Amino acid sequence: YTKEDIREIVAYAKERYIDVIPEIEMPGHSEAVLQCYPQYSCDGTGKSGVYCAGNDGTFEFLQNVIDEVVELFPNEYLHIGGDEVGKGSWLKCDKCKKRMQEENLEDGEELQSYFVKRMEKYIHSKNKKLIGWDEIMEGGLPERATVMSWRGVIGGIEAANAGHDVV
């Protein structure tokens, strides 16, 4: 879609009292992006479909994407996905291992939590609320995150009991 297409869709939905919430997939399900920008993957090929959490360029790239998206979608939420992240490439990646060491992270789940929390802070700075699938709870959930539970009710109940909004 062009930016004008998106503005038209958002306006059409708004006239019908519908909020369009974009889902910008991260840190996984990003095969299409990483085929075009393989430098933001751990192995430089993009085949894993997972952004490199040890590469600061990854976060700069995603922040630029967020900047574009928030201009087009005036509603309060931005969905990041966060589900089905294969952590194998992170555990083999020297940059990710270094990040884990620097941040005192024990495993891939905690690295995913680091990634989600870092992006949540940026999204929040843009006056948006982060929504993610229930896997964003693994390793620790950002305090302002909204959880969308797709694997059943357990994730939603856990998040609600911890004081989070839940879908």
Side-chain angles (χ1 to χ4, degrees):
Y1 296 99
T2 67
K3 288 182 177 182
E4 191 52 43
D5 291 339
I6 291 172
R7 287 185 187 99
E8 193 176 308
I9 291 165
V10 169
Y12 179 86
K14 183 177 181 178
E15 289 172 4
R16 288 152 182 81
Y17 306 99
I18 298 169
D19 290 343
V20 178
I21 300 171
E23 182 176 352
I24 308 302
E25 291 282 358
M26 63 180 87
H29 285 297
S30 302
E31 290 85 354
V33 172
L34 292 172
Q35 288 299 306
C36 298
Y37 301 96
Q39 67 269 32
Y40 303 123
S41 66
C42 290
D43 65 3
T45 70
K47 291 180 183 177
S48 71
V50 178
Y51 286 106
C52 179
N55 180 351
D56 284 329
T58 295
F59 293 99
E60 183 179 340
F61 172 78
L62 288 170
Q63 288 169 351
N64 289 335
V65 171
I66 298 303
D67 290 346
E68 293 272 331
V69 170
V70 298
E71 288 181 24
L72 297 170
F73 295 90
N75 303 307
E76 67 182 317
Y77 289 103
L78 193 149
H79 204 302
I80 65 154
D83 61 320
E84 302 177 329
V85 178
K87 297 168 184 79
S89 61
W90 287 349
L91 300 177
K92 296 175 191 169
C93 173
D94 289 337
K95 289 180 185 177
C96 288
K97 288 178 194 178
K98 182 178 178 191
R99 173 86 66 205
M100 289 173 68
Q101 183 178 25
E102 291 171 349
E103 299 293 330
N104 260 348
L105 307 173
E106 293 187 20
D107 55 27
E109 284 73 25
E110 287 188 5
L111 185 56
Q112 178 171 338
S113 176
Y114 166 85
F115 192 109
V116 172
K117 287 177 180 176
R118 185 166 171 176
M119 290 310 301
E120 189 280 332
K121 285 179 189 171
Y122 191 77
I123 290 166
H124 182 75
S125 79
K126 299 297 177 180
N127 297 312
K128 300 288 181 187
K129 294 179 181 176
L130 178 144
I131 296 179
W133 299 112
D134 51 356
E135 283 98 327
I136 68 170
M137 294 172 27
E138 297 168 4
L141 188 60
E143 69 178 75
R144 295 177 292 246
T146 297
V147 174
M148 195 167 205
S149 191
W150 74 276
R151 299 181 295 175
V153 297
I154 293 172
I157 292 169
E158 276 183 42
N161 286 338
H164 292 272
D165 290 337
V166 175
V167 178

